[in-house]
Every structure is written in structure tokens, then in C-alpha cells.
Amino acid sequence: MASIHAKLALLPDGWASDVRIGFKGRDIETVDAGIEAGPDDERHDVLLPAMSNLHSHAFQRGMAGLAETRGPTEDNFWSWRTVMYKFALSMNPDQMQAIAAQLYVEMLEAGFSRVGEFHYLHHDRDGRPYADIAEMAVRIVAAAEETGIGLTLLPVFYAHSNFGGLSPTDGQRRFVCNLDSFGRLLDGARHAASRLPGAATGIAPHSLRAVAPEELAALTKLSGEGPIHIHAAEQVKEVEDCISALHRRPVEWLLENAGVDGRWCLIHATHMTQEEARGLARSGAVAGLCPVTEANLGDGFFEAETYLANDGAFGVGSDSNVLIGIRDELRQLEYAQRLARRARNIVAVPGGSTGRRLFDGAIAGGAQALGGRSGLVAGAPADMMTLDRSAVPYVGADQILDHFIFANGIRVGSVWAGGRKLVDGGRHLRREEIAARFRRVMAELVTH
Ligand SMILES: [Zn+2]
């Protein structure tokens, strides 16, 4: 059994001193506080659970920083999507695997030990299935295997361009399935993931605009016990179209019709009424927030105050993967609330740390959304990270997470996923070779 000793560790009931964690294989076996380090312990200063990144579209990492030039008309989500489709339409399986591996290295270096890959780039460039219909899912699994990140694979069902069952557009040809072909794709994806230790699979109906109500009902039956993720209420236009077609707002419709419970994760849930926020919180589902992407795309901001006041579960995801960082996501989540309310420390409980509230919430909600357990506790996966506070040794336990999220000076040091130490001194063990391949692939993609 391997063991780590930390001067400070964040346990489920708070910070504890002199903590020794024993782990074997993928899981934590023992947690003891107030204990001296043993001779074979790996010693660290500050140890925390690593986080789940609950929402990613890996291929979009390739266009990070390449869609920030203003177009001839007003730029918004829909013009960004046009650029994204162009990019998506050109990528082959080798290129996607290279981009996904680079992304997963960056996630691990940021302290994310597991990713929920909302995977919808399925087919060949002409829209026809590959010889193995799950080829691209196999490549996502391969990228996770190369990097060691924990994977919850969420194959996406995508069938329509808008509400009312409208036919998909030509730009969506690589995403599209019917229920039959999706069943085969799901089998292939599950088979690929089953060969990766610690991997899980769920299902992802893309959104209410891309999935008709009767298809959603069929998909929910296919999901088994795994998580169900769906994009909901990201855009005002989407809410308006939903009201026209289904006479309800997206979150409202899902709560009334889809049997939303603790297996569900509603990605974004940006545009909610107070009543929807209360209903979603009570459903037990996780709100999958992607604050950096939502800011980058100009989506809007989440109704955090009402949602959290009703004990709503939330986690964070990097979605478009324009920037990867636990601290960036959590800071943006809080800052959006501050700007909207013109107040400070919105998510914290009175007298409590904002950083702790954000971090604890995202650890628990992220694990729930990806079908796993969280925390430094016996039986949970050995998904852990250290923080290096050597530049700010005066920062005590109660301010470590506030400092990490809101200020400079504290960095991620080491990261373990499923008991394997993959990041040391802030750098992934295979960073150089994976980054070199990524640069080669990007040179191919941006010059064609
Ligand atoms: Zn998304």
C-alpha cells in the first residue's frame, strides 16, 4: 500500500492536521489524522481531493483562442458555433486523439482527475459512420488512457437542428444518429470504455432542440444506472424557441416531463426563473456549470443565490475548453454573481469562506454527475492533488482555497488519478511528447 503524509488535508468534515492517506490500486484504503509521518510516506504540505471536470467537448480545445476576432456583424454564440462547425468538420481521428490528449494533460495539471466527455463528433468528414461506428469514442478512450485521466464517457444523441424535429443541417452531419445507429454507437462506446480501468459511461441527449421528446424518453430507458447529461437553457433564443414549441421553458419542461433526479446533470441551466432554480435544486440533479465558457460565449450567468439557498448540487466543466482551470471556473462563477448583484462573497454561507464553499460544492457535485465518489475518505478513488503554498507560507488553512482561487501565489503541485501520480511539480509526466504531437496536428489543421 502506498501512503502520503500531509501537514494539512481537506477531509469531508474540514481541514485536518498531520493526515496520512493509504491507498492501494485505484482506491483510498485508510485515512488517519493527527498522526506522524511514517518512514516510507511521500510527504506533502497541503492535500485535497482532486476535482471532476463534468463537461468537455475535447475537439473544441483545438480552436481555443482562434475565435476571438470580431466578425463583420455582431458576434454571439451562434456565430461562434459556425466557426466551431468548420473546425469540427475537418478533424480526423488521429487529430482528435492528439487534441484530446493535450487537453487531458492540461486538465490533470490543473487538478482535474476525471473528465465527463460529452462526445458528439462521431462520424467521418462526409457524415458517414466510420467502419467502427464508435471510432471517435475509441479515440477518446485512447486519449484518456495515454494521459491517465479518469473518464466518464457520455456518447451524445443528436438528431435535429431545432425544436419540432427539424432536419439537421449539413454542418451537423458528423454528429447525427437515429435511435438505431445510436444504439450501436453506444454499445461500441461502452465496450471501449469497459477496457479502461475506472472508466464509466452514461448517456447524453444533446439538448431539447436536437432531441425530440419521444426520442428523449427512449434514450432515458437506454441509460441504465449511468448518468444522463443534457444541455439546457444556455441561450435566450433556445428558451424562446422551447416556449414556442413545447409551451414550457427548457428546465421547466425537463422537470415536468423527463423524470429528472440525482442521475441527471443539466449543463448550463443558465436562464432559469426562480421557480425553476428551486425545482432543479429539489430534484437532486446537478447543475453543470461552465462559467468560463459561458462568459466567453456571452451566454449569461447562473441563478446561484436561489439555487444554493435551496441546497442545489453543482459542479464545473470546461465545455469549449478555451481555458482549463479549477480556479478560473470557480472564480468566474463567483465574479458573475458579484457583478450582477454589485455585492461580494455571494455563494459563501455567513462567516464562511467563499473558496471553500465553491470547492466543496464542485467536488461533491462533480463526482455525483460523473457517477463516482469523492473526498479523501476510505473507499473513494485515490483522486488527489497537492497545493504548493511555498510562495505564501503565511496563508493558513482557512484561507488556502480563497487564496488559490482569487489570488496569485498558490499553485497545483502533484495530482493523482485512480491512485496513479501523473503530475509532479505541476507538470504531467508525458507532457512533452503529447504537446509536440499536438503542435504538429494543429499546424495541419490551421493551414488547411
Ligand atoms: Zn457543451
Side-chain angles (χ1 to χ4, degrees):
M1 185 162 70
S3 52
I4 294 174
H5 186 275
K7 283 188 200 150
L8 276 176
L10 185 60
L11 303 184
D13 49 3
W15 288 105
S17 299
D18 289 316
V19 174
R20 189 164 187 239
I21 308 269
F23 56 102
K24 195 173 171 185
R26 301 189 57 80
D27 295 331
I28 295 174
E29 293 220 330
T30 58
V31 179
D32 296 293
I35 192 169
E36 291 291 303
D40 298 328
D41 289 355
E42 182 176 330
R43 295 182 186 212
H44 289 280
D45 180 26
V46 180
L47 186 74
L48 305 94
M51 190 169 285
S52 293
N53 182 330
L54 59 67
H55 189 67
S56 159
H57 310 293
F59 77 88
Q60 293 179 15
R61 168 63 184 84
M63 60 183 282
L66 302 179
E68 308 296 334
T69 305
R70 186 165 177 160
T73 56
E74 191 191 358
D75 268 7
N76 58 24
F77 171 87
W78 307 101
S79 59
W80 171 85
R81 195 179 70 159
T82 305
V83 177
M84 186 267 283
Y85 281 6
K86 241 172 88 181
F87 208 83
L89 288 174
S90 65
M91 207 175 280
N92 69 35
D94 285 344
Q95 291 166 334
M96 196 194 61
Q97 183 177 335
I99 289 169
Q102 171 68 20
L103 171 68
Y104 296 163
V105 162
E106 293 169 1
M107 286 185 185
L108 283 158
E109 290 183 350
F112 290 115
S113 55
R114 175 169 283 269
V115 58
E117 184 61 40
F118 196 106
H119 168 61
Y120 67 94
L121 186 61
H122 297 313
H123 306 311
D124 206 343
R125 285 178 278 197
D126 60 5
R128 272 185 255 188
Y130 288 104
D132 173 0
I133 193 169
E135 171 71 26
M136 291 297 230
V138 169
R139 298 309 193 107
I140 291 289
V141 173
E145 189 172 22
E146 283 185 82
T147 58
I149 200 165
L151 176 68
T152 297
L153 182 59
L154 301 158
V156 173
F157 178 84
Y158 197 114
H160 308 288
S161 62
N162 212 338
F163 293 92
L166 293 189
S167 298
T169 65
D170 186 51
Q172 294 162 342
R173 63 183 180 269
R174 298 191 73 179
F175 317 151
V176 174
C177 283
N178 57 35
L179 285 170
D180 278 350
S181 60
F182 183 72
R184 280 181 277 123
L185 197 155
L186 186 61
D187 285 345
R190 283 173 170 164
H191 178 68
S194 71
R195 291 168 23 223
L196 184 68
T201 50
I203 202 167
H206 180 275
S207 57
L208 288 177
R209 64 184 154 77
V211 182
E214 60 278 13
E215 290 163 342
L216 183 63
L219 292 165
T220 311
K221 288 198 191 95
L222 280 180
S223 67
E225 291 303 302
I228 306 171
H229 287 220
I230 186 168
H231 290 120
E234 179 180 10
Q235 288 288 317
V236 171
K237 178 178 181 300
E238 171 204 340
V239 176
E240 290 166 352
D241 290 351
C242 190
I243 293 170
S244 300
L246 301 173
H247 313 292
R248 292 286 187 277
R249 304 167 60 84
V251 174
E252 184 184 22
W253 189 92
L254 285 166
L255 291 172
E256 285 180 16
N257 296 285
V260 172
D261 60 18
R263 284 182 310 153
W264 285 71
C265 179
L266 271 59
I267 305 299
H268 305 301
T270 305
H271 299 287
M272 292 194 290
T273 61
Q274 301 275 310
E275 205 181 330
E276 286 175 298
R278 281 191 290 272
L280 183 60
R282 282 195 294 258
S283 75
V286 177
L289 311 179
C290 308
V292 169
T293 295
E294 288 152 9
N296 183 270
L297 297 180
D299 288 344
F301 58 87
F302 181 70
E303 233 356 289
E305 204 171 11
T306 305
Y307 187 74
L308 295 180
N310 287 275
D311 297 323
F314 72 94
V316 293
S318 52
D319 192 8
S320 70
N321 297 315
V322 64
L323 179 71
I324 306 303
I326 290 174
R327 55 201 307 236
D328 301 280
E329 298 294 349
L330 297 178
R331 187 192 320 115
Q332 181 63 39
L333 170 57
E334 168 70 15
Y335 278 179
Q337 311 299 317
R338 293 189 189 190
L339 289 165
R341 288 271 315 278
R342 285 175 280 174
R344 300 189 70 245
N345 294 321
I346 308 291
V347 307
V349 294
S353 150
T354 299
R356 264 295 292 287
R357 177 73 185 91
L358 290 165
F359 191 84
D360 287 351
I363 287 283
Q368 180 187 330
L370 298 191
R373 288 186 66 185
S374 67
L376 299 180
V377 59
D383 291 349
M384 305 176 285
M385 63 191 251
T386 65
L387 292 179
D388 176 357
R389 60 171 171 169
S390 56
V392 287
Y394 56 87
V395 174
D398 290 341
Q399 274 87 41
I400 286 174
L401 283 165
D402 292 329
H403 209 287
F404 172 58
I405 293 166
F406 295 104
N408 285 325
I410 295 184
R411 294 180 298 109
V412 174
S414 303
V415 180
W416 293 256
R420 285 171 65 202
K421 188 178 184 181
L422 299 164
V423 175
D424 191 20
R427 298 173 74 85
H428 188 278
L429 305 177
R430 294 183 65 183
R431 178 205 261 222
E432 300 310 330
E433 66 178 284
I434 287 171
R437 185 179 55 170
F438 171 74
R439 288 192 294 271
R440 278 199 307 278
V441 159
M442 287 306 298
E444 292 162 13
L445 282 166
V446 297
T447 51
H448 286 93

